[in-house]
Amino acid sequence: MLMRAFPRNVRGFSMIELMVALVLSLLVAGAVLALVLAIIKSNRLTLQATRLNQELRATLAVVAADVRRARSVDDPLSSAVLGANPIGAISTATAGCIIYAYDGAAGGRWHLMKLNGGRVRLQAFADRPTAGDCTSAAGEIIGSRQVEITSMTFSPTTTSNTPPLATDETVARQFTVTVTGRLIDNDPDLVATTRTMTSTVYVRSVGAGI
């Protein structure tokens, strides 16, 4: 049986053509891989940013809820008639720290909320704490340990400084609480992402607020 001979002008791909095709294939594959990795990273950043928002919102809610109870007493009518509230003074004299009190508080009627080492800490006292307690690392951590709080401020809104308050005290019913934080992560893009949350707190009863 005779085999049919191929025409002389029929030939396969040359080495150069194969190399060009290989390079083009690698370029396309590299571009697709880069796109997939970019999408994965973008999704991770979005998810982590959402997580950061949720963690900060939860931390701020706990802080605001406790501060909102400041100056609250068992019998506010008697305090109003007598013109004195034994736990009326609220201090925000130390940056990142607020000292306040309310009856029935767990661990002691006086509470101190502060920022220390990237953590929000709540500390309870039987007697009024001092400004020096604002710088200690004591207290229960509020919020996630995966989030670093970089800033926390308590800004009172002054309404009056009517006597018989001391000269360094003013009446404040409203406090603006602001927290700024970021995730603790090895990814520099995540660490660079920060969020700020703000909440307005109206205290329950009138008293002195610095």
Side-chain angles (χ1 to χ4, degrees):
M1 180 178 177
L2 297 177
M3 297 184 62
R4 184 178 177 183
F6 289 99
R8 293 180 178 273
N9 59 348
V10 176
R11 61 186 181 85
F13 294 105
S14 67
M15 182 61 68
I16 294 178
E17 290 172 334
L18 289 174
M19 293 181 64
V20 170
L22 179 61
V23 170
L24 291 176
S25 300
L26 290 176
L27 289 176
V28 172
V32 172
L33 180 60
L35 178 61
V36 171
L37 292 177
I39 293 174
I40 293 175
K41 184 174 183 178
S42 177
N43 288 340
R44 181 169 184 263
L45 290 175
T46 300
L47 290 174
Q48 294 293 66
T50 302
R51 177 190 171 198
L52 176 59
N53 287 339
Q54 293 174 340
E55 295 287 359
L56 285 179
R57 189 176 292 111
T59 299
L60 182 59
V62 174
V63 173
D66 202 64
V67 174
R68 189 173 289 114
R69 301 181 68 180
R71 301 176 182 152
S72 175
V73 293
D74 289 335
D75 186 5
L77 181 59
S78 296
S79 296
V81 172
L82 296 175
N85 185 344
I87 55 175
I90 297 177
S91 174
T92 57
T94 303
C97 179
I98 184 171
I99 299 173
Y100 56 98
Y102 58 88
D103 282 343
R109 67 188 334 191
W110 286 97
H111 276 189
L112 184 151
M113 194 80 68
K114 59 189 171 182
L115 176 61
N116 183 279
R119 298 282 185 265
V120 177
R121 297 178 183 270
L122 173 62
Q123 193 172 3
F125 299 83
D127 300 315
R128 183 182 177 88
T130 64
D133 293 310
C134 288
T135 59
S136 72
E140 179 183 356
I141 294 178
I142 304 298
S144 173
R145 295 178 181 270
Q146 301 303 315
V147 175
E148 178 188 5
I149 304 299
T150 57
S151 174
M152 181 171 66
T153 60
F154 300 92
S155 304
T157 298
T158 302
T159 58
S160 173
N161 60 351
T162 305
L165 301 178
T167 56
D168 62 345
E169 295 180 345
T170 55
V171 174
R173 296 175 182 238
Q174 175 182 327
F175 291 83
T176 300
V177 185
T178 303
V179 294
T180 301
R182 62 188 178 187
L183 289 175
I184 298 175
D185 198 281
N186 294 326
D187 189 335
D189 291 331
L190 288 176
V191 174
T193 301
T194 62
R195 293 289 186 274
T196 299
M197 299 278 180
T198 300
S199 178
T200 300
V201 177
Y202 296 92
V203 295
R204 287 188 173 187
S205 57
V206 178
I210 302 175

